[in-house]
Amino acid sequence: MTELQDRQPAGDPVGAIAAPLEVRTAIYKMMVEMRGFEKRAYDLFLQGLVKGTSHLGLGQEAVAAGFGAAMLPSDYTFATYRGHNHTLARGAPMAAVMAELMGRQAGLMAGKGGSMHLTSVEHRMMGSYAIVGAHLTIANGAAWSSKLRHAGEVAVCFFGDGTTNIGAFHEALNLAAVWKLPVVFVCENNRWMEYTPISSVTAVEHPAADRARAYGLDPVLVDGNDADQTYGAARAAIEHARSGGGPALVEAETYRHGGHSRADPGKYRPDEEVEAWLGRDPIPRYRTRLLGAGVDEAVLVRIEEEAQAAVDAAAREAEASPPPDLSLVGADLWADGGSSWRS
Amino acid sequence: MTELQDRQPAGDPVGAIAAPLEVRTAIYKMMVEMRGFEKRAYDLFLQGLVKGTSHLGLGQEAVAAGFGAAMLPSDYTFATYRGHNHTLARGAPMAAVMAELMGRQAGLMAGKGGSMHLTSVEHRMMGSYAIVGAHLTIANGAAWSSKLRHAGEVAVCFFGDGTTNIGAFHEALNLAAVWKLPVVFVCENNRWMEYTPISSVTAVEHPAADRARAYGLDPVLVDGNDADQTYGAARAAIEHARSGGGPALVEAETYRHGGHSRADPGKYRPDEEVEAWLGRDPIPRYRTRLLGAGVDEAVLVRIEEEAQAAVDAAAREAEASPPPDLSLVGADLWADGGSSWRS
Amino acid sequence: MAELTYRDAVARGIAQEMERDPSVVFLGEDVGAAGGVFKATVGLLDRFGPQRVADTPISEQAILGAAMGAAMTGLRPIAEIMFSDFFAVCWDLVANEIAKTRYMTNGQVSLPLVIRSANGGGVRFGAQHSQSVENWAMAVPGLKVVAPSTPRDVVGLLAAAVRDPDPVLFFEQKSLYPTKGEVPDGEIVDTLGTAAVRRHGRDATIVALAAMVPRALDAADALSREGVEVTVIDLRSLVPLDVTTVATSVVETGHLVTVEENPRLCGWGAEVASIIAEERLFDLDGPIVRVTTPHVPLPAADALEDAALPSVARIVDGVRRALQ
Amino acid sequence: MAELTYRDAVARGIAQEMERDPSVVFLGEDVGAAGGVFKATVGLLDRFGPQRVADTPISEQAILGAAMGAAMTGLRPIAEIMFSDFFAVCWDLVANEIAKTRYMTNGQVSLPLVIRSANGGGVRFGAQHSQSVENWAMAVPGLKVVAPSTPRDVVGLLAAAVRDPDPVLFFEQKSLYPTKGEVPDGEIVDTLGTAAVRRHGRDATIVALAAMVPRALDAADALSREGVEVTVIDLRSLVPLDVTTVATSVVETGHLVTVEENPRLCGWGAEVASIIAEERLFDLDGPIVRVTTPHVPLPAADALEDAALPSVARIVDGVRRALQ
Ligand SMILES: Cc1ncc(C[n+]2csc(CCOP(=O)(O)OP(=O)(O)O)c2C)c(N)n1
Ligand SMILES: Cc1ncc(C[n+]2csc(CCOP(=O)(O)OP(=O)(O)O)c2C)c(N)n1
Ligand SMILES: [Mg+2]
Ligand SMILES: [Mg+2]
């Protein structure tokens, strides 16, 4: 921890690009909503209403929010199974996301995908991917398409530290660099793969940043629990990509407050490590910072209350939705709406 | 070329470990045999006697020979489809290798594998692999086994520049480093994948060396057309691995004289490039060097004559062998010698 | 004799073999310190130490490459691929390297290794964590393919797989992990390629695998209440395939129904059906019916997943169609 | 009407579609400047430029990821996987991502893309460059699977594949590249999921695919000399599967023989056999016979490879067994 604390900037830190105050309150709002949403999702799991698996990003909100605030509406998001926050960050409706976790008809994908595959093309949330690595290569494809269409869209792709050790990571980074694609790769280094510390299975200390040079890229390492830093890094990387400078690889150091997935209490982690990171929770930290920057506490309280109300409403709406129509089992394998494989 | 010539050491170069003269003549002998063997293989292809595909290492002999000379008999070789030279370097009989190329019963694998899969477990030539990347991970396995068995064996794994862009490369290098495996990865950078220049598809200039740091390894770049340098690098890397220092990644810059595979005239390469590299042919270069070092020319001439005679004999022997017994189609899928899948 | 979960049977089987043979090693993601994401390998690290029980990075190709290279050079590795869906990221090692190497080298290379993986649906994990891919493996020459349905078979078939001189893909059905069964004390070693007749009846033959076995038995109960008595065969192994047991039963009953969790096309049931249609056509008194997951990915929502997987009702219905 | 090789038909088909639709792009290893390792894409780079014809590194996952991401966002990519054996290094993209995404997203994501690949044996390339893996693709829900046997079908089915709104795996049989056939002038667009009856006879039905079609026709000639007249159906597409054409013929002939280049277990012939054994059992007058490559990898030596692949003699023999 000392090492991290050392690197933690004193006072009011800046990323490459300093954020105006209205952006910073918007980021705070996003983080508070994410936190409220995921805490509720966890409660609903305990009540047996969220089925299957789910992977919370509690503690990692500053990454999704900082990048979300820096993206244009036309930019693309690609996320992992730990993608609730990234989905909300693009504006997907909370109720639909909650209903998807609960396997209801009102779900974002009517229950067909589940928590691990949240997708809302309407919001340019191009999917959550549950097999480690693949989506880095897919994000390249969206960036390639943007480039060929001269569309100016940037693809932003989130993944974990553990993902840096799989082959697809390597192939994606190299191709992105060679083709100078407008794609930003964001490694959320939360120090653990599932139950194994990343340091025990990785040849370098910083799984993403220490490998940037292998793709001709500059290493970028930020405090992922500091939304100003993530926002600043996001702005810089996205603008670099949008202006034809090619890909960027950002490593954001962060921590998940809970276990890997819903059933995991995360007990394998040393108490001191957990405690130290809880002390660096991005949300209270940002709250203090905003107060220090002159934001009226009433504004923040209102954000917090509204977020809570929104979560309550979303949960109610999701719970009110029926299970999906069973005809969906055979629907939408093909573009014709069906799944027939024969004459 | 200037760049390479600049890097080419003046006078008698040394690798990390200087080779005694008997080793150097042995290396010369290996190279001359390899060259004679592959030229004959090409003639036999033109005569329609070598079927299927084959990939010659003409021009790249200094890598196979330098490493071959530095390995202990108990060390393991893993090679690619371009593996004739590496197979011969371990002492596999020329006639059996030639017969394998011709699809004969006397072939190293009785014709079941073909040119791309040369294997002689007896000589610790653990296989030639035709799908790019996989064998780097397999070499790790042999090294892991050596480590667990405290056997002191080192696995040496050869591959091309193009291979550095596939996922398996990345996974293999990382695991080897994390587990500190006694494995030496040797990238033969011949500047081309099949018909595409490696520089056009790779994010860094030196596809292997510039990525060593991504695995916590030191970059090693040698002139792969200089057998003293490859031998020296091999000795250093293998001893490092054998003594528990973990893996090494060596990039040897070299060039194939011909096309990618037997039917390819290699015409896509700029004439000047080909000519410049033909001028750096490792065999005449080494011959001159040995003469300069005081080796009697008669010794070298004798090596050359014996090699030619050995090639002639091998070709005759191979040609005399009948096609494989057709019962082999159903043989040796399983350890019981058969291929039955049912009761 | 003790009652054991299918989950605990995995650790027991591995431990039995590691205890017996020091060349058996075990590797995979989160398998050691964490005891596996399904908690099926708890205690092995403590018992056998980090040399023989190795946690790996998320590098499935590197895992299987390590297993293969180690098997070539004197060890007998057991590798875990956490979910069988992830075979897709390392299929080159499985299908192109491990399966083919003995054959290509004219028998020079032996690969005594086992790859365990959690297979199948029923736990609402969605399309990328629920596939039944035993038919992918069956389609590749050079792989033995095993899928136990009971804790006892987990131990016995795992031991047989470890002792087998050829590569074995060992599919554990993840919805079966919490199920319990009697497991005899002491060493258990079974025989690959032998099906088990779980119930005997003269009216029709149901052939099932893994999680479909208990469902087929439930269907048999239901049918029995209607006066239809079926034989239920638990294949246990797809390669080698116990054609004899299936064919013998079909000759007796004249009717065949296969129950597959894999999606329809090119499932193992198609292979079984085609064998019987070639070798026992004139013993059939009715159509061969295949009950499968429809040819779609598995949806995540519980209601949808239940509707997609072969249910007891669909099996009963399949038998009725076969008997018509 | 011009005589064209199967090889040249590939470039013609791609060019036809790239000319028509500017959103069609093409990528793969050595496909541009070199015109492909099989010289099947010569001239496309010159004609359409490096933006639309892209040479890639040896990174099959990155190739298919690029194709998928581009297809999600407005392009219609054609990706080449040089040899179909290499699907094993990118099977995750094919089977887990491309195949499942429309379904998982409840129809939100469209993936109009084509993956072309050189499939099959007969050219002495050995076990890792000769596989017929169309059955791997058929087993995965969400993929359309096409395998033409003639130059005309290459153009027409490739065009249909490019225009199809769903992902299509397009298997070119590498031993057919040098074969020639008449191809009409002008635009050709065929229909996926339609089999072609290549010869008509009343005694038995042979169903074949790709390189097995000309062999089946040779076998039909040989049988005809013995007085046995067979129908030869070229499936052309495995998904969608033209069951109607096959079933109609079987009702007429009463005998079915499938001829598959893939190794035996879980080949497409098993699926076809199982469908007929379920739906047309009582129309069969003899066993369903499958002629396949035995369940082994393909050996490299010419003599061995020829002995392994289904030969005209083995097809003739298969028909005789079906008729017994
Ligand atoms: C190819 C593959 N291997 C293994 C898994 C199982 N798995 C799911 S998440 C995970 C850990 C991922 O770690 P990281 O990339 O750090 O992301 P985090 O979960 O910490 O956000 C693993 C091993 C998987 N989904 N895909
Ligand atoms: C996974 C995979 N992709 C593509 C190929 C086809 N292929 C065979 S050799 C080769 C070029 C390899 O280049 P490099 O690694 O530089 O080795 P070299 O042939 O130059 O020795 C390619 C693309 C393959 N065998 N495997
Ligand atoms: Mg992590
Ligand atoms: Mg090369």
Side-chain angles (χ1 to χ4, degrees):
Chain A
M1 277 312 297
T2 36
E3 183 214 339
L4 247 176
Q5 269 153 358
D6 289 351
R7 228 185 297 124
Q8 188 181 331
D12 204 45
V14 281
I17 294 159
L21 215 54
E22 64 271 24
V23 171
R24 297 172 80 188
T25 48
I27 289 175
Y28 183 70
K29 179 166 186 286
M30 286 165 89
M31 293 200 293
V32 170
E33 286 175 356
M34 292 167 182
R35 181 67 57 93
F37 177 89
E38 285 204 318
K39 283 188 145 172
R40 180 63 54 90
Y42 189 71
D43 292 344
L44 291 169
F45 154 60
L46 291 177
Q47 293 168 45
L49 286 168
V50 165
K51 312 277 169 63
T53 186
S54 54
H55 303 75
L56 304 180
L58 291 171
Q60 305 186 195
E61 294 89 349
V63 183
F67 274 82
M71 292 169 74
L72 294 186
S74 57
D75 292 335
Y76 299 108
T77 293
F78 291 83
T80 71
Y81 48 88
R82 198 180 305 288
H84 305 159
N85 293 343
H86 303 95
T87 306
L88 296 175
R90 298 311 304 278
M94 255 189 208
V97 179
M98 195 66 92
E100 187 63 31
L101 270 53
M102 296 168 69
R104 304 296 174 97
Q105 178 77 44
L108 202 56
M109 299 93 77
K112 288 181 80 172
S115 156
M116 298 208 287
H117 298 294
L118 297 175
T119 305
S120 180
V121 170
E122 181 192 346
H123 299 94
R124 300 251 168 169
M125 168 63 197
M126 305 307 285
S128 307
Y129 296 82
I131 300 194
V132 160
H135 73 301
L136 283 79
T137 71
I138 303 167
N140 273 347
W144 182 44
S145 154
S146 164
K147 186 170 173 167
L148 293 184
R149 292 182 288 106
H150 305 289
E153 305 146 350
V154 173
V156 181
C157 178
F158 301 90
F159 54 93
D161 44 280
T163 304
T164 64
N165 291 327
I166 201 159
F169 167 87
H170 180 66
E171 295 192 12
L173 266 289
N174 183 62
L175 190 74
V178 172
W179 285 6
K180 276 205 156 206
L181 298 179
V183 56
V184 177
F185 295 106
V186 185
C187 176
E188 302 186 47
N189 180 357
N190 64 10
R191 313 207 147 208
W192 291 81
M193 29 188 277
E194 295 208 9
Y195 313 134
T196 301
I198 191 66
S199 58
S200 70
V201 291
T202 310
V204 289
E205 187 189 348
H206 301 292
D210 290 348
R211 284 160 168 165
R213 297 269 183 236
Y215 311 103
L217 303 176
D218 292 329
V220 181
L221 189 66
V222 300
D223 180 344
N225 278 18
D226 179 335
D228 285 324
Q229 279 202 39
T230 58
Y231 175 79
R235 281 290 299 271
I238 291 170
E239 275 168 29
H240 171 82
R242 202 184 313 282
S243 64
L249 173 60
V250 176
E251 179 170 334
E253 296 193 291
T254 183
Y255 203 72
R256 59 169 149 80
H257 288 176
H260 167 72
S261 61
R262 59 169 221 180
D264 165 31
K267 286 293 171 223
Y268 38 84
R269 304 179 302 178
D271 286 345
E272 321 81 72
E273 180 180 297
V274 177
E275 245 155 68
W277 279 96
L278 286 175
R280 306 182 63 239
D281 187 329
I283 297 180
R285 208 169 148 204
Y286 207 57
R287 193 179 201 277
T288 310
R289 175 124 21 99
L290 291 187
L291 291 175
V295 179
D296 190 343
E297 183 155 21
V299 173
L300 301 183
V301 170
R302 180 142 165 227
I303 285 175
E304 290 150 13
E305 286 169 356
E306 282 178 0
Q308 209 41 58
V311 168
D312 290 342
R316 268 196 309 276
E317 199 182 313
E319 268 191 75
S321 170
D325 192 291
L326 297 188
S327 69
L328 289 182
V329 168
D332 286 315
L333 184 67
W334 309 126
D336 68 8
S339 58
S340 169
W341 48 267
R342 60 173 288 178
S343 67
Chain B
M1 277 310 298
T2 36
E3 182 217 337
L4 247 176
Q5 267 153 1
D6 289 352
R7 228 184 300 122
Q8 188 180 333
D12 205 44
V14 279
I17 293 160
L21 214 52
E22 65 272 21
V23 171
R24 296 172 80 188
T25 48
I27 289 175
Y28 183 70
K29 179 166 186 288
M30 287 166 88
M31 293 200 292
V32 169
E33 285 175 356
M34 291 166 181
R35 179 67 58 93
F37 177 90
E38 286 203 318
K39 283 187 145 173
R40 180 62 56 88
Y42 190 70
D43 292 346
L44 291 169
F45 154 60
L46 292 177
Q47 293 168 44
L49 286 168
V50 164
K51 312 279 170 61
T53 186
S54 54
H55 303 74
L56 304 180
L58 290 171
Q60 304 185 196
E61 294 89 349
V63 183
F67 275 83
M71 292 169 75
L72 295 185
S74 57
D75 292 336
Y76 298 108
T77 293
F78 291 82
T80 70
Y81 49 88
R82 198 181 304 287
H84 304 158
N85 293 341
H86 304 97
T87 307
L88 296 175
R90 299 311 304 279
M94 255 189 208
V97 178
M98 195 65 93
E100 187 63 30
L101 270 53
M102 296 168 69
R104 304 296 173 95
Q105 178 76 44
L108 202 56
M109 299 93 77
K112 289 181 80 173
S115 157
M116 298 208 287
H117 297 293
L118 297 175
T119 305
S120 181
V121 170
E122 181 192 346
H123 300 94
R124 300 250 168 170
M125 167 62 197
M126 304 307 285
S128 306
Y129 297 79
I131 299 192
V132 160
H135 73 302
L136 282 79
T137 71
I138 303 167
N140 273 348
W144 182 43
S145 153
S146 165
K147 186 170 175 167
L148 293 184
R149 291 180 290 106
H150 306 290
E153 305 146 350
V154 173
V156 181
C157 178
F158 301 91
F159 54 93
D161 44 282
T163 304
T164 63
N165 290 328
I166 200 160
F169 167 86
H170 180 67
E171 295 191 13
L173 266 289
N174 183 61
L175 190 74
V178 172
W179 285 6
K180 276 205 156 206
L181 298 178
V183 56
V184 177
F185 295 105
V186 186
C187 175
E188 302 187 47
N189 180 358
N190 62 12
R191 313 207 146 207
W192 292 80
M193 30 188 275
E194 296 208 9
Y195 313 133
T196 300
I198 190 67
S199 58
S200 71
V201 292
T202 311
V204 290
E205 188 189 347
H206 300 294
D210 289 349
R211 284 159 169 166
R213 297 269 182 238
Y215 311 104
L217 303 177
D218 292 328
V220 181
L221 188 66
V222 299
D223 179 345
N225 278 17
D226 180 334
D228 284 324
Q229 280 201 39
T230 57
Y231 176 78
R235 281 290 299 272
I238 291 169
E239 275 167 30
H240 171 81
R242 201 183 315 283
S243 64
L249 173 60
V250 176
E251 178 170 334
E253 297 193 290
T254 183
Y255 204 71
R256 59 169 148 81
H257 287 175
H260 167 72
S261 61
R262 60 169 222 179
D264 166 31
K267 285 293 172 224
Y268 39 84
R269 305 181 299 180
D271 285 345
E272 322 80 70
E273 179 181 296
V274 177
E275 245 154 68
W277 279 95
L278 286 175
R280 305 182 63 239
D281 187 331
I283 297 182
R285 210 171 147 202
Y286 208 56
R287 193 179 202 275
T288 310
R289 174 120 28 96
L290 291 188
L291 292 175
V295 179
D296 191 342
E297 184 156 20
V299 173
L300 302 181
V301 169
R302 182 145 163 226
I303 284 175
E304 290 151 14
E305 286 170 355
E306 282 177 0
Q308 209 42 58
V311 169
D312 290 342
R316 268 196 311 275
E317 200 182 313
E319 268 191 73
S321 170
D325 193 291
L326 296 188
S327 69
L328 289 182
V329 169
D332 286 315
L333 184 67
W334 309 126
D336 68 7
S339 58
S340 170
W341 48 267
R342 60 174 287 178
S343 67
Chain C
M1 191 76 96
E3 180 152 86
L4 220 63
T5 59
Y6 188 96
R7 179 194 318 280
D8 291 337
V10 174
R12 165 136 167 223
I14 297 174
Q16 173 186 301
E17 294 306 297
M18 292 189 77
E19 196 67 66
R20 181 188 58 85
D21 180 350
S23 70
V24 178
V25 293
F26 175 46
L27 78 166
E29 293 160 20
D30 303 299
V31 298
V37 298
F38 296 103
K39 301 289 171 225
T41 58
V42 170
L44 296 175
L45 175 66
D46 285 347
R47 190 149 159 207
F48 300 103
Q51 296 297 310
R52 294 181 65 195
V53 177
D55 280 318
T56 70
I58 309 178
S59 308
E60 279 79 4
Q61 296 187 78
I63 292 169
L64 295 191
M68 175 171 168
M72 296 171 85
T73 55
L75 301 185
R76 299 183 91 90
I78 305 173
E80 173 175 312
I81 297 297
M82 196 187 283
F83 285 72
S84 65
D85 313 70
F86 310 162
F87 275 124
V89 300
C90 53
W91 199 236
D92 183 44
L93 268 296
V94 178
N96 288 330
E97 306 299 348
I98 290 170
K100 294 180 172 45
T101 294
R102 172 184 287 280
Y103 187 85
M104 290 196 299
T105 63
N106 197 30
Q108 288 184 64
V109 171
S110 279
L111 293 174
L113 62 86
V114 177
I115 310 174
R116 296 175 42 241
S117 194
N119 192 47
V123 289
R124 291 78 173 94
F125 278 179
Q128 293 186 337
H129 282 68
S130 303
Q131 291 170 88
S132 288
V133 303
E134 60 274 14
N135 56 331
W136 296 8
M138 189 180 189
V140 178
L143 303 174
K144 295 183 178 172
V145 184
V146 175
S149 75
T150 69
R152 187 200 168 120
D153 280 2
V154 167
V155 180
L157 292 173
L158 192 48
V162 171
R163 297 177 195 200
D164 196 272
D166 292 310
V168 180
L169 264 59
F170 193 85
F171 289 99
E172 297 161 17
Q173 221 289 351
K174 66 178 88 67
S175 73
L176 294 178
Y177 280 129
T179 61
K180 287 185 178 172
E182 293 293 326
V183 180
D185 299 331
E187 189 181 84
I188 315 181
V189 190
D190 211 320
T191 307
L192 301 186
T194 54
V197 177
R198 299 289 182 199
R199 177 183 179 123
H200 198 256
R202 319 200 125 253
D203 297 328
T205 302
I206 300 182
V207 179
L209 189 77
M212 295 300 105
V213 174
R215 293 205 185 179
L217 289 169
D218 288 349
D221 280 342
L223 286 159
S224 176
R225 289 192 289 273
E226 301 178 7
V228 177
E229 296 299 336
V230 301
T231 289
V232 176
I233 296 175
D234 178 354
L235 273 185
R236 308 199 317 151
S237 155
L238 296 176
V239 182
L241 185 68
D242 187 350
V243 174
T244 310
T245 297
V246 176
T248 305
S249 175
V250 170
V251 169
E252 192 179 279
T253 65
H255 297 277
L256 174 62
V257 175
T258 62
V259 186
E260 296 159 79
E261 188 175 328
N262 52 232
R264 162 88 202 201
L265 297 182
C266 296
W268 59 259
E271 186 59 47
V272 170
S274 77
I275 295 168
I276 298 302
E278 179 157 356
E279 301 180 9
R280 294 289 171 203
L281 189 86
F282 298 112
D283 294 301
L284 286 171
D285 301 320
I288 299 176
V289 171
R290 292 176 58 203
V291 179
T292 75
T293 296
H295 204 61
V296 294
L298 274 186
D302 47 353
L304 296 177
E305 188 180 37
D306 288 341
L309 292 170
S311 61
V312 173
R314 278 178 55 217
I315 301 170
V316 167
D317 180 62
V319 172
R320 287 203 196 106
R321 277 188 290 128
L323 289 173
Q324 257 168 16
Chain D
M1 191 74 96
E3 182 153 84
L4 220 63
T5 59
Y6 188 97
R7 178 194 320 280
D8 292 336
V10 174
R12 167 140 164 219
I14 297 174
Q16 172 185 302
E17 294 306 296
M18 292 188 78
E19 197 67 65
R20 181 187 57 84
D21 181 349
S23 71
V24 178
V25 293
F26 176 44
L27 78 166
E29 293 161 20
D30 304 300
V31 298
V37 298
F38 296 103
K39 301 289 172 222
T41 58
V42 171
L44 296 174
L45 175 65
D46 284 348
R47 194 153 156 202
F48 300 104
Q51 296 297 310
R52 294 181 65 197
V53 177
D55 280 318
T56 69
I58 309 178
S59 307
E60 279 79 4
Q61 296 188 79
I63 291 170
L64 295 191
M68 176 171 168
M72 295 171 86
T73 55
L75 301 185
R76 298 184 91 89
I78 306 173
E80 173 174 313
I81 296 299
M82 195 187 282
F83 285 72
S84 65
D85 313 70
F86 310 162
F87 275 123
V89 301
C90 52
W91 199 236
D92 183 44
L93 268 297
V94 178
N96 288 330
E97 306 299 348
I98 290 171
K100 295 181 171 46
T101 294
R102 172 183 289 279
Y103 187 86
M104 290 195 301
T105 63
N106 197 30
Q108 288 184 63
V109 172
S110 278
L111 293 174
L113 63 85
V114 177
I115 310 175
R116 298 173 41 242
S117 194
N119 192 46
V123 288
R124 291 77 174 95
F125 278 179
Q128 292 185 339
H129 281 67
S130 303
Q131 290 170 89
S132 287
V133 302
E134 60 274 14
N135 57 329
W136 294 9
M138 189 180 187
V140 178
L143 303 175
K144 295 183 178 172
V145 184
V146 175
S149 75
T150 69
R152 186 199 169 118
D153 280 1
V154 167
V155 180
L157 292 173
L158 191 47
V162 170
R163 296 178 195 199
D164 197 272
D166 292 312
V168 180
L169 264 58
F170 193 85
F171 289 100
E172 298 161 16
Q173 221 288 350
K174 65 177 90 67
S175 72
L176 294 177
Y177 280 130
T179 61
K180 287 186 177 168
E182 293 293 325
V183 180
D185 299 330
E187 189 181 83
I188 314 181
V189 191
D190 210 321
T191 307
L192 301 187
T194 54
V197 177
R198 299 289 183 198
R199 176 183 179 124
H200 197 256
R202 318 201 127 252
D203 296 328
T205 303
I206 300 182
V207 179
L209 189 77
M212 295 300 105
V213 174
R215 292 204 186 180
L217 290 168
D218 287 350
D221 279 341
L223 287 160
S224 176
R225 289 192 288 274
E226 301 177 7
V228 177
E229 296 299 336
V230 300
T231 289
V232 176
I233 295 174
D234 178 353
L235 273 186
R236 308 198 319 151
S237 156
L238 294 177
V239 182
L241 185 68
D242 186 351
V243 175
T244 310
T245 297
V246 175
T248 304
S249 176
V250 169
V251 170
E252 192 178 281
T253 65
H255 297 278
L256 174 62
V257 176
T258 61
V259 185
E260 296 159 79
E261 189 174 329
N262 52 232
R264 163 87 202 202
L265 296 183
C266 296
W268 59 259
E271 186 59 46
V272 171
S274 76
I275 294 168
I276 298 301
E278 179 156 356
E279 302 181 11
R280 296 289 172 202
L281 189 86
F282 298 113
D283 294 301
L284 286 171
D285 300 321
I288 300 176
V289 172
R290 291 176 59 203
V291 179
T292 75
T293 295
H295 204 62
V296 295
L298 273 187
D302 48 352
L304 296 177
E305 189 180 36
D306 288 341
L309 292 170
S311 61
V312 172
R314 278 178 55 215
I315 300 170
V316 167
D317 180 61
V319 173
R320 287 204 196 106
R321 277 188 290 127
L323 290 172
Q324 257 167 17

